[in-house]
Amino acid sequence: MKQIIFVESSPTDMLMKIALTLRKRGYNPILISLIGKDNIQFTKKAYSKRIFLGFNFVKINFKNIPLITYYSLKNSLNLIKATISILKLKPYVVIGRANPNWLCVIAKFIFKKYPFIYFPYDIRSFVYKDYEEAINSGVPEFEIKSERYCFQNVDGIMHKGHEEELTWLDEKVLGEKIKITCPVINIRPYCLPEFTVPINSNKLSKRDREINFVNVGVISNHDSYINSINAIINQKIHFHIYGKIANLTESRTYKILHDDKYKNIINNKYFHMHPQVEQEKLTKEISQYDYGFWPGWYDTETKNNWTATGNKLSSFLEAGLPFFYFDNHKAIDNLMKKYNLDLKISFDEIKTMKKRLEALNYKELIKNVEKARKDLDIMKNIPKLEKFFEEVREFKYNV
């Protein structure tokens, strides 16, 4: 079977969905992860083999290389076994996910004989207006050079944001004009059939006679994120949170909610913090609510906001939920308006959210959600990724 190697700092749901689908189609997906443990059921289903390097105690960045080296020595037996396993691999293609970008550079060097696909999950340079701002924000110079290197030296690039985002790469941040010569594919956070649940007709709102919003994934203490939640719950709209950040435990994920910034939210009866739910059960759980909501960063006009998409997009659709997002999320808006689900909103408009909701035809929105998730079904879209693998291999071996 053709080995598809996924190299990540920690496993992501979006790539696990891809791996699981490829596995069903006869491929042999293998995970190499810097951090995490082999204790997530979805990971076991997605990958036929999982290699965890055991760097679980430090933040993965170039500054912590000495500390990583220390833990490597401490974890030397596991690392030796993992290294032997890695060196035995003979991949059809390798997919390296950033961030960090330096991990992709190392992975490309290790698998230099094989076709290497770069997946900048979020393009780091899009966060900053120039090189100086990136450095002053704590981004290591090597990380910036790594991103530039990957865009110019890999055999293929897959990206999930705005269709045109690779034309927006800025030499003011990366140090030179980027010229991409390899095959490129724009993919989406696709819906997995196993996670796609029937439309829930027994909504919580039927019982409590009130509107219920939900957000899943990363929790932030950014002012715009907190202001977004405040604006919702102050209108007596329920806001439910299911937090999850990579391999962080529930207590570490929710620790941020004890920040002083949350003191006026945490005790509001319209704010609900829920225990973490496994990805396989999440969509059924959140299907009981009325709308998804993508809070935060409404006041930031960086390319990162324009281009960003995320797995919560597919999670909302899998759960059968239309969802609101801020109007500076251009990539999300471009996709959603294809299905008449463009529920973009400005921060000022949140203050009249109830009037906005009254004007919506919810039954029509649900029909559009069903159409969108059929169109974005991963089984329908995986063949173009397989074709892309062939193009990458041809580029690698024939150029």
Side-chain angles (χ1 to χ4, degrees):
M1 292 192 294
K2 297 172 181 176
Q3 292 181 349
I4 311 294
I5 310 300
F6 295 80
V7 181
E8 301 192 73
S9 56
S10 62
T12 53
D13 292 322
M14 182 177 173
L15 285 185
M16 280 191 272
K17 288 180 180 180
I18 291 174
L20 178 60
T21 307
L22 288 171
R23 191 174 185 181
K24 289 178 184 177
R25 294 173 70 85
Y27 293 86
N28 182 15
I30 297 171
L31 171 68
I32 300 173
S33 178
L34 280 182
I35 66 175
K37 295 180 180 179
D38 200 8
N39 60 352
I40 300 173
Q41 198 62 35
F42 186 26
T43 314
K44 294 177 180 179
K45 286 184 179 179
Y47 298 101
S48 57
K49 185 179 180 67
R50 298 155 305 280
I51 302 171
F52 290 91
L53 300 180
F55 300 130
N56 295 317
F57 306 101
V58 296
K59 186 177 180 180
I60 304 300
N61 59 36
F62 189 64
K63 182 180 178 181
N64 281 332
I65 288 293
L67 208 51
I68 291 172
T69 303
Y70 165 74
Y71 286 122
S72 298
L73 294 172
K74 188 176 179 181
N75 192 35
S76 57
L77 183 58
N78 174 67
L79 197 60
I80 290 169
K81 290 180 180 178
T83 302
I84 292 171
S85 295
I86 290 170
L87 293 176
K88 288 181 179 179
L89 298 175
K90 295 181 180 179
Y92 184 67
V93 295
V94 179
I95 299 172
R97 177 188 65 81
N99 291 310
N101 288 286
W102 60 260
L103 173 62
C104 295
V105 174
I106 293 173
K108 184 181 183 302
F109 175 77
I110 292 171
F111 294 105
K112 58 186 176 183
K113 294 181 181 179
Y114 302 100
F116 188 88
I117 297 169
Y118 173 51
F119 180 28
Y121 192 88
D122 291 312
I123 298 175
R124 172 161 272 176
S125 59
F126 281 174
V127 178
Y128 310 102
K129 64 181 180 182
D130 54 35
Y131 176 83
E132 287 71 25
E133 184 180 70
I135 294 297
N136 291 336
S137 299
V139 180
E141 182 180 6
F142 182 73
E143 174 67 1
I144 297 172
K145 290 181 177 178
S146 295
E147 182 171 290
R148 183 176 70 205
Y149 174 85
C150 287
F151 277 122
Q152 295 182 317
N153 293 279
V154 295
D155 306 304
I157 298 170
M158 49 191 276
H159 65 110
K160 66 177 179 61
H162 196 286
E163 293 90 339
E164 300 175 8
E165 65 181 343
L166 297 187
T167 67
W168 300 342
L169 295 170
D170 198 337
E171 60 186 300
K172 288 188 292 184
V173 183
L174 293 172
E176 61 184 70
K177 190 171 181 62
I178 301 299
K179 184 178 180 181
I180 295 173
T181 59
C182 64
V184 172
I185 186 172
N186 183 222
I187 62 173
R188 299 299 187 187
Y190 295 119
C191 299
L192 192 69
E194 290 91 328
F195 293 174
T196 302
V197 298
I199 300 300
N200 193 334
S201 58
N202 188 29
K203 298 285 188 181
L204 178 59
S205 54
K206 278 190 174 182
R207 303 191 294 276
D208 66 13
R209 302 295 179 182
E210 296 187 296
I211 304 164
N212 289 267
F213 280 17
V214 63
N215 183 42
V216 298
V218 175
I219 301 172
S220 173
N221 64 354
H222 192 278
D223 288 344
S224 65
Y225 185 96
I226 293 169
N227 292 342
S228 304
I229 298 174
N230 254 324
I232 295 295
I233 62 179
N234 286 343
Q235 293 178 72
K236 297 183 179 180
I237 296 173
H238 292 275
F239 195 94
H240 302 260
I241 281 185
Y242 291 81
K244 183 181 178 185
I245 305 175
N247 284 278
L248 293 187
T249 62
E250 183 173 309
S251 60
R252 289 178 66 193
T253 299
Y254 285 132
K255 185 178 180 182
I256 199 168
L257 294 177
H258 299 291
D259 189 299
D260 283 344
K261 292 181 179 181
Y262 275 93
K263 62 184 178 182
N264 294 325
I265 291 178
I266 202 78
N267 294 319
N268 190 307
K269 72 175 185 177
Y270 285 91
F271 178 75
H272 308 275
M273 180 178 64
H274 295 269
Q276 286 185 345
V277 177
E278 290 261 350
Q279 187 70 26
E280 293 172 285
K281 300 176 182 177
L282 180 64
T283 51
K284 183 178 180 181
E285 169 71 18
I286 67 173
S287 70
Q288 66 182 302
Y289 306 119
D290 302 301
Y291 294 92
F293 191 83
W294 205 308
W297 295 276
Y298 53 79
D299 55 352
T300 308
E301 283 298 329
T302 65
K303 292 175 186 173
N304 188 52
N305 288 102
W306 300 350
T307 65
T309 61
N311 192 63
K312 72 174 69 181
L313 185 154
S314 56
S315 292
F316 288 146
L317 294 179
E318 288 163 345
L321 301 181
F323 63 94
F324 288 91
Y325 52 89
F326 285 112
D327 51 11
N328 61 348
H329 288 29
K330 296 180 182 180
I332 296 170
D333 189 54
N334 272 5
L335 181 60
M336 290 297 97
K337 66 186 178 185
K338 293 178 182 178
Y339 304 102
N340 292 319
L341 289 169
D342 43 330
L343 298 178
K344 62 183 177 183
I345 195 167
S346 70
F347 180 71
D348 286 338
E349 288 172 328
I350 291 185
K351 299 168 187 175
T352 57
M353 177 63 85
K354 282 197 171 181
K355 287 185 178 180
R356 173 79 181 270
L357 295 174
E358 289 171 4
L360 293 174
N361 184 331
Y362 193 75
K363 288 184 178 179
E364 194 65 30
L365 287 175
I366 293 301
K367 288 181 182 178
N368 294 338
V369 166
E370 291 185 290
K371 181 181 178 182
R373 65 186 191 176
K374 285 179 183 177
D375 212 23
L376 295 170
D377 188 304
I378 197 168
M379 295 300 292
K380 181 178 179 179
N381 289 277
I382 205 71
K384 68 181 180 182
L385 185 60
E386 293 176 281
K387 183 179 178 182
F388 175 67
F389 292 162
E390 294 173 7
E391 293 170 358
V392 169
R393 284 179 60 82
E394 185 177 341
F395 179 86
K396 170 70 174 177
Y397 295 125
N398 294 336
V399 173

